Amino acid sequence: MKPPAREPLSHTRRSALHLEVRDTYQSTDPDFLAWREGRRTFTPDNRADWWEGWHDVVHAATCRGVSVRRARVVSEPLTEYVRWEYAYTVTNLAAGEQVRWLPRRSARDLAVPAVDYWVFDGELVLFHHFSGDGALIEREYVTDPALAAWCTSAFHEVWERATPHEEYKPVD
């Protein structure tokens, strides 16, 4: 499989945009399973509980001035998996990401790719292709300028409507 997003992010100079549109991902994730069973696998105040290589790469990027933004288009009420992501988002924020949430019903008139993706510096697009149960099956890197521009535009439309993590209150 091609390298994960941390590879291009480590070389990004200006911006990294990440759009997530799924309601569930890898349901066998050990941290998710522990959370699901009521065991909290991290405490926000203790970075040793959760700081990983991904956080290092994001932190290094933001320290060199890269804007790292993640927008999540979600169904409400949130699925169990997305509720876990919501709880875990404090780790993204601590690393320097900006995160926003957009209820799917508020995106009904937006033209948005049906797959998760990253856009690095407005030039390189990384599409994540998942199986129905949320397992990552392929990373596809594309350098088509028109596609990168469209994905960037779609991200910005979502971002403008979305609510910052600190203000987003999921519907039960």
Side-chain angles (χ1 to χ4, degrees):
M1 189 174 296
K2 294 180 181 175
R6 70 182 62 176
E7 175 67 27
L9 181 56
S10 68
H11 304 292
T12 299
R13 299 173 315 277
R14 297 179 310 278
S15 66
L17 311 175
H18 187 192
L19 183 67
E20 295 180 352
V21 296
R22 294 184 53 87
D23 285 325
T24 192
Y25 292 88
Q26 193 159 345
S27 58
T28 58
D29 182 302
D31 290 331
F32 167 66
L33 294 174
W35 177 87
R36 186 179 198 197
E37 294 169 0
R39 291 180 284 135
R40 297 304 178 245
T41 58
F42 73 97
T43 54
D45 297 336
N46 185 6
R47 286 187 180 193
D49 285 350
W50 50 265
W51 194 272
E52 301 170 351
W54 171 250
H55 299 102
D56 288 329
V57 174
V58 171
H59 184 68
T62 58
C63 284
R64 66 176 184 273
V66 175
S67 171
V68 181
R69 295 184 289 167
R70 179 186 305 255
R72 291 179 168 138
V73 179
V74 296
S75 297
E76 289 183 323
L78 301 180
T79 63
E80 187 175 37
Y81 193 94
V82 175
R83 284 196 322 269
W84 172 67
E85 283 188 321
Y86 179 79
Y88 199 72
T89 296
V90 297
T91 69
N92 301 87
L93 300 174
E97 281 190 56
Q98 299 172 60
V99 179
R100 291 188 181 184
W101 301 81
L102 182 65
R104 197 170 306 284
R105 70 178 176 278
S106 297
R108 69 185 174 280
D109 60 337
L110 298 179
V112 176
V115 297
D116 288 17
Y117 64 87
W118 282 90
V119 181
F120 301 98
D121 287 334
E123 300 168 358
L124 175 65
V125 182
L126 165 55
F127 291 103
H128 285 136
H129 300 287
F130 295 92
S131 65
D133 65 358
L136 179 64
I137 56 174
E138 181 186 1
R139 293 182 189 102
E140 177 187 11
Y141 285 90
V142 180
T143 56
D144 178 333
L147 185 59
W150 183 68
C151 288
T152 298
S153 177
F155 177 88
H156 286 300
E157 288 188 36
V158 168
W159 187 259
E160 289 305 312
R161 284 193 193 177
T163 303
H165 178 75
E166 299 82 2
E167 300 170 24
Y168 177 67
K169 304 296 180 234
V171 172
D172 292 332

